Amino acid sequence: MTTRYRVEYALKTHRRDQLIEWIKGLLAVPFVLHSQPTAVYQEDSEKLAGVASDTHQRYAEIFRDVEGLLNDHIEHESTKAAGKSKLRLLVPPVGTFFTKLYLEEAFKYQDQQRHISRRRFVAPSFNDVRLILNSSQLLGLVRTRGLNLVTFDGDVTLYDDGACLAPDNPVISRIIRLLRQDIRVGIVTAAGYTEAAKYYERLKGLLDVMYSSTELTDEQRSGLIIMGGESNYLFRYDPSSPHKLTYVPREDWILEDMKAWEEDDITNLLDIAESSLRACVKNLNLPVSVLRKDRAVGVYPEKQGQLHREQLEETVLVVQNTVERSSVGSRLPFCAFNGGNDVFVDIGDKSWGVRACQHYFKNIDASRTLHVGDQFLSAGANDFKARLASTTAWIASPAETVQLLDELHSIQKTLV
Ligand code: IMP
Ligand code: MG
């Protein structure tokens, strides 16, 4: 039994978000006790409305209590007594929150959108809680100190996996709106290229609209940067360049701590990662090619969809484990992740990428920064590390990113 439990634990915890699972567990109780899944034909609409309002009340109370625990956690962290946080006792992996989260209000908003408390057969789900957390974070950002920087992941967040930002992508007008509000924008992607032409190819839709827009000032245009390879290559918007982007030399933007990353260590870490990837290719008979770059190494198949989830996950966990256990793995930050169709190991991670963007824009604070991404599981996911550097929103598709930015806009309007 113990062995089975431990195996399950080791294999599954990284696929669950502990805070979300815990909140789901709390909501399951009123769901079971109040939602009354009786036969639909026996009910009149008045009775249904009564049940829903009762359930809504109970869910709202839970979110109010969790919000209280979060405030207490923030308080303890700020007084360097994080160990005394009750939330940390209940959910040990819980991290740092850079702003308050308005959970009760966010629940009421999402309940209007998703009719969570009207459901009698489907309990509050992972996605319900994820979206409530996102809404509460937007409220927290706008009401705490305001928003100065939004960083976006690329694949799945701005465009479909492996696709490009096409001119008709609805996210473009939302990004322009942020820039017009003098909010800075960084695209912090794992896609690591050293040439501006490659990023232009991926982001052409946005860069062309920025170029021809009459709504933006030059200062606002300079508020767009691209951070590639997680935290390795910085490009800034530049209308005079043929690809509308200019490479910013590393010495102009790297953080103090990044100066200690030795070239020998980088090569050494990538060598270890590469041989571990090659061993997986052999062992699992993966139909892939190995790609080695100066700051990354990865495997990718010829066509989309050739690798199944289990192959991708096994590979990422093996490589992560191998590099972690090496001595260079403890000196140098790296990020092994499942890109949905490929597996990559990059030097650095998105916490460094987001921090470098904050630094580039003259030290924007974590509490004024939002990172939007789709990969927030604790292993094999590359947006997860951004939680160390900024507030975050976890989206599941490019359409959700658009919704999130529209929600942000309506919250901003209520403040004016
Ligand atoms: P993201 O979702 O924007 O972070 O992009 C991740 C995807 O970029 C990966 O799944 C790869 O397909 C692709 N990619 C291209 N070059 C690199 C690299 O150097 N490191 C990691 N991923 C890369
Ligand atoms: Mg992504």
Side-chain angles (χ1 to χ4, degrees):
M1 259 333 258
T2 315
T3 316
R4 165 111 190 137
Y5 174 79
R6 291 188 62 174
V7 168
E8 291 274 310
Y9 184 81
L11 296 183
K12 294 224 174 100
T13 47
H14 69 277
R15 300 190 53 210
R16 300 230 161 95
D17 182 284
Q18 306 292 314
L19 180 65
I20 294 183
E21 292 302 319
W22 176 70
I23 295 176
K24 254 176 72 181
L26 297 178
L27 297 169
V29 176
F31 174 76
V32 170
L33 297 181
H34 295 277
S35 61
Q36 301 185 4
T38 46
V40 178
Y41 61 83
Q42 289 177 342
E43 291 179 350
D44 56 60
S45 58
E46 216 171 286
K47 192 169 158 217
L48 264 179
V51 169
S53 124
D54 234 30
T55 313
H56 173 93
Q57 205 55 38
R58 310 265 167 170
Y59 289 163
E61 281 163 13
I62 289 177
F63 279 104
R64 189 185 316 150
D65 289 344
V66 175
E67 189 176 315
L69 282 171
L70 268 161
N71 289 339
D72 169 78
H73 177 72
I74 293 171
E75 177 72 27
H76 279 109
E77 285 223 314
S78 71
T79 55
K80 305 267 181 282
K84 292 196 179 137
S85 151
K86 197 167 159 192
L87 186 64
R88 166 106 351 111
L89 286 176
L90 294 165
V91 190
V94 78
T96 298
F97 296 87
F98 297 104
T99 71
K100 277 182 67 155
L101 295 184
Y102 292 83
L103 282 172
E104 185 183 1
E105 199 175 329
F107 161 70
K108 289 181 178 164
Y109 170 75
Q110 286 294 346
D111 202 27
Q112 274 168 16
Q113 310 296 311
R114 299 170 67 81
H115 305 293
I116 302 165
S117 45
R118 284 179 173 257
R119 297 198 310 243
R120 289 162 308 145
F121 293 94
V122 179
S125 67
F126 168 83
N127 283 326
D128 294 327
V129 179
R130 176 176 63 77
L131 291 166
I132 291 165
L133 284 167
N134 286 353
S135 298
S136 70
Q137 183 58 78
L138 295 179
L139 289 163
L141 273 162
V142 173
R143 291 180 187 165
T144 305
R145 299 171 67 195
L147 181 59
N148 287 165
L149 169 66
V150 183
T151 58
F152 294 96
D153 160 58
D155 293 50
V156 184
T157 301
L158 293 179
Y159 36 80
D160 289 335
D161 201 12
C164 297
L165 223 170
D168 60 351
N169 188 322
V171 85
I172 294 175
S173 57
R174 276 70 178 187
I175 292 181
I176 303 282
R177 184 169 65 204
L178 291 174
L179 293 168
R180 285 184 64 196
Q181 294 172 312
D182 300 320
I183 295 174
R184 314 291 198 167
V185 173
I187 298 178
V188 180
T189 167
Y193 316 118
T194 43
E195 318 90 58
K198 281 275 178 47
Y199 288 109
Y200 181 62
E201 197 185 310
R202 299 290 303 269
L203 305 171
K204 189 172 180 308
L206 172 66
L207 296 169
D208 287 352
V209 170
M210 281 187 59
Y211 186 79
S212 53
S213 164
T214 50
E215 298 175 320
L216 294 169
T217 64
D218 288 348
E219 173 62 21
Q220 288 168 339
R221 280 192 180 82
S222 67
L224 177 79
I225 54 177
I226 320 291
M227 175 61 77
E230 322 276 359
S231 54
N232 285 307
Y233 315 103
L234 184 69
F235 290 81
R236 63 179 172 81
Y237 178 79
D238 177 5
S240 66
S241 142
H243 299 111
K244 305 189 175 81
L245 290 171
T246 290
Y247 179 72
V248 186
R250 209 167 261 149
E251 59 272 19
D252 294 354
W253 59 266
I254 58 170
L255 303 168
E256 209 44 45
D257 290 348
M258 290 167 109
K259 293 182 183 157
W261 300 2
E262 308 261 349
E263 281 307 317
D264 283 354
D265 273 355
I266 291 174
T267 311
N268 188 216
L269 191 146
L270 292 178
D271 285 346
I272 294 168
E274 183 177 337
S275 63
S276 171
L277 282 170
R278 287 188 188 279
C280 287
V281 172
K282 200 161 161 227
N283 186 32
L284 302 172
N285 198 17
L286 304 176
V288 294
S289 307
V290 176
L291 177 64
R292 174 81 179 245
K293 300 184 175 182
D294 75 329
R295 294 266 168 145
V297 58
V299 290
Y300 66 96
E302 202 152 293
K303 281 191 280 169
Q304 281 259 349
Q306 278 186 312
L307 297 179
H308 47 79
R309 181 176 64 75
E310 290 80 357
Q311 287 174 317
L312 291 161
E313 282 194 12
E314 173 74 11
T315 307
V316 89
L317 292 173
V318 167
V319 180
Q320 170 154 327
N321 229 277
T322 310
V323 181
E324 253 168 19
R325 283 189 288 106
S326 69
S327 71
V328 62
S330 58
R331 284 197 296 279
L332 194 62
F334 71 95
C335 175
F337 74 101
N338 167 359
N341 189 45
D342 46 35
V343 172
F344 269 87
V345 179
D346 288 306
I347 299 299
D349 60 46
K350 289 198 184 184
S351 69
W352 295 90
V354 171
R355 278 196 202 105
C357 293
Q358 292 165 336
H359 176 65
Y360 179 85
F361 290 123
K362 310 269 175 293
N363 296 325
I364 294 176
D365 196 75
S367 65
R368 295 173 183 262
T369 309
L370 173 69
H371 177 75
V372 185
D374 66 296
Q375 291 215 345
F376 282 102
L377 292 175
S378 63
N382 66 349
D383 293 301
F384 178 72
K385 285 283 171 116
R387 284 196 182 149
L388 297 170
S390 65
T391 74
T392 55
W394 185 348
I395 54 77
S397 66
E400 271 195 19
T401 304
V402 171
Q403 257 171 32
L404 181 93
L405 294 176
D406 287 347
E407 194 186 324
L408 170 69
H409 190 56
S410 48
I411 294 172
Q412 286 167 327
K413 281 197 296 198
T414 60
L415 267 202
V416 188

